Amino acid sequence: MAASRHMFGAQLLFRRSMSSSAMLSAGMEPLSRIWRADSRRCGAIGMKCGMTHGWLPSGERLPLTIVEVQDVQVVQAKRVPTSEGTGLNLQLGAGWQKRKRLSKADAGQFEARGLPLKRYMREFRVSEDALLPVGTSVTARHFVPGQYVDVQGTSKGKGFQGVMRRWGFKGQPASHGNSLAHRAGGSLGGSAGSMYATRVFPGKKMAGRMGGDRQTMHSLLVYRVDAKHNLLYIKGSVRCSTYRPRQCACRWRATAARSGRPETAPVLGLPPSAWPTLRPPDSQIPGPEGSVVRVKDAERKRRDTSSKGHFSMPPFPTFLPGDADGPEVLVWQGASKSQ
């Protein structure tokens, strides 16, 4: 089993950065670009940047969530046991990370494959025909406007909350004999339902920790794809925190900027183009773990939604460098009137 796993990883490394003609000359099977009924491709890792709104030609206003796809690459593919035998998972990495923050084992899996260090790691179940070579980049062009996606994130933690906020209980009467129990949950029904069931049944709604768990939003519409900045505009809300960079003021740097001394930039170790400050995309600012989301094709909606107004089928297994670029910004124009 171990030998077959190492051979599987070696084939992925050999397939990396090879064209279809080179794969055919080497006797290897090229990547399949045709959708099948059982095809299941990988998703992407993004960072929630905030919310905005958009407009349809009909005048309808749409709430939109902005998700940035940050340097997503395929790290490895591995076989995992499933109820039906074995399945194929693609592990994707996103963001960047310092070497000192990783252990020797964690950094070794990137260095052995010639990949930059990644900050976030997620896995996606894929089919055999959707296997991608190690090092393949997944960008915002992986999705097309008009398709539906499932977005998974970690909701905001609210701490320990009572039953009224956690479960929406009405509460007890505010007067007429009620004292110090206005927001209490009431009886737990310890001996109700059976003769000898003197216990609290599992799943009873009680006060406790609220939020901070994994939430999946199903079948959200992709309204806009900004390939230039790797941004996805998704209709609806995503239950996770929003990354907001902290303000960091440097009095000495600001004083030097007002005095007009551009020679201070080399002293600070900054490139000349970064003076008086760093601007995107000069550097990538990592966000907290709570604002990271997983975006993949929706499982409850049909994949072919060309009749709903989007341009074409999503690229399979992903958008590759040799594919036609097309416009940098694609916007969904709404469903056709015939539907």
Side-chain angles (χ1 to χ4, degrees):
M1 179 64 70
S4 61
R5 188 182 299 110
H6 291 304
M7 182 63 66
F8 181 69
Q11 292 178 357
L12 287 177
L13 289 175
F14 184 67
R15 289 179 60 178
R16 180 186 177 188
S17 67
M18 294 184 64
S19 60
S20 300
S21 59
M23 290 182 180
L24 290 175
S25 61
M28 300 180 61
E29 184 179 356
L31 294 176
S32 175
R33 308 306 305 273
I34 302 177
W35 281 98
R36 299 190 307 182
D38 57 344
S39 295
R40 187 176 185 179
R41 62 176 191 162
C42 68
I45 308 174
M47 183 78 65
K48 179 181 175 181
C49 301
M51 294 195 67
T52 182
H53 66 273
W55 301 89
L56 293 180
S58 60
E60 181 183 357
R61 182 177 181 270
L62 300 179
L64 303 175
T65 300
I66 305 176
V67 176
E68 179 187 3
V69 182
Q70 294 186 348
D71 299 338
V72 181
Q73 285 183 297
V74 178
V75 177
Q76 65 173 335
K78 54 185 179 181
R79 300 282 181 177
V80 293
T82 62
S83 59
E84 301 177 354
T86 58
L88 182 61
N89 280 11
L90 272 184
Q91 188 181 63
L92 304 183
W96 62 273
Q97 185 63 282
K98 295 182 180 180
R99 175 60 182 85
K100 66 178 182 179
R101 295 179 179 174
L102 294 177
S103 63
K104 186 177 181 180
D106 293 338
Q109 65 174 340
F110 300 107
E111 297 171 354
R113 298 175 174 88
L115 299 176
L117 303 181
K118 299 297 182 180
R119 182 182 179 92
Y120 313 107
M121 305 289 289
R122 297 292 187 273
E123 291 188 8
F124 295 88
R125 178 66 52 83
V126 298
S127 57
E128 297 289 342
D129 57 340
L131 180 64
L132 291 174
V134 174
T136 303
S137 297
V138 179
T139 62
R141 292 186 184 272
H142 187 73
F143 305 96
V144 294
Q147 78 165 111
Y148 296 95
V149 294
D150 294 341
V151 185
Q152 187 179 83
T154 304
S155 61
K156 296 180 181 180
K158 307 296 183 181
F160 194 96
Q161 299 297 330
V163 293
M164 294 186 64
R165 183 178 183 187
R166 191 184 185 194
W167 302 108
F169 281 17
K170 180 181 178 180
Q172 299 190 24
S175 61
H176 292 77
N178 194 344
S179 299
L180 305 180
H182 305 284
R183 301 181 64 89
S187 173
L188 300 182
S191 60
S194 180
M195 183 180 298
Y196 300 103
T198 308
R199 61 190 178 93
V200 179
F201 285 92
K204 176 65 177 177
K205 295 181 180 180
M206 304 170 62
R209 185 176 178 271
M210 179 181 176
D213 53 356
R214 186 175 300 175
Q215 298 285 341
T216 302
M217 282 58 67
H218 294 277
S219 305
L220 300 183
L221 178 72
V222 178
Y223 170 78
R224 178 178 177 179
V225 176
D226 189 346
K228 181 178 180 181
H229 303 94
N230 265 344
L231 297 177
L232 297 175
Y233 293 77
I234 303 175
K235 178 184 176 182
S237 61
V238 177
R239 296 181 181 177
C240 70
S241 60
T242 301
Y243 169 59
R244 295 181 178 88
R246 299 179 179 178
Q247 296 182 355
C248 180
C250 182
R251 181 177 302 178
W252 177 69
R253 182 183 299 181
T255 304
R258 288 194 298 268
S259 61
R261 293 183 294 173
E263 66 277 0
T264 314
V267 176
L268 295 176
L270 301 174
S273 60
W275 178 258
T277 182
L278 291 176
R279 308 180 309 273
D282 296 339
S283 64
Q284 183 188 45
I285 305 177
E289 188 73 20
S291 57
V292 179
V293 297
R294 298 171 72 249
V295 185
K296 64 176 183 178
D297 298 335
E299 298 181 356
R300 301 180 181 178
K301 291 284 187 177
R302 58 178 182 174
R303 185 185 305 119
D304 184 10
T305 57
S306 56
S307 60
K308 296 297 182 180
H310 84 54
F311 297 86
S312 61
M313 288 283 291
F316 184 82
T318 186
F319 183 83
L320 299 177
D323 298 345
D325 292 339
E328 293 183 348
V329 179
L330 299 176
V331 182
W332 184 62
Q333 300 298 330
S336 58
K337 296 183 179 180
S338 60
Q339 297 298 322

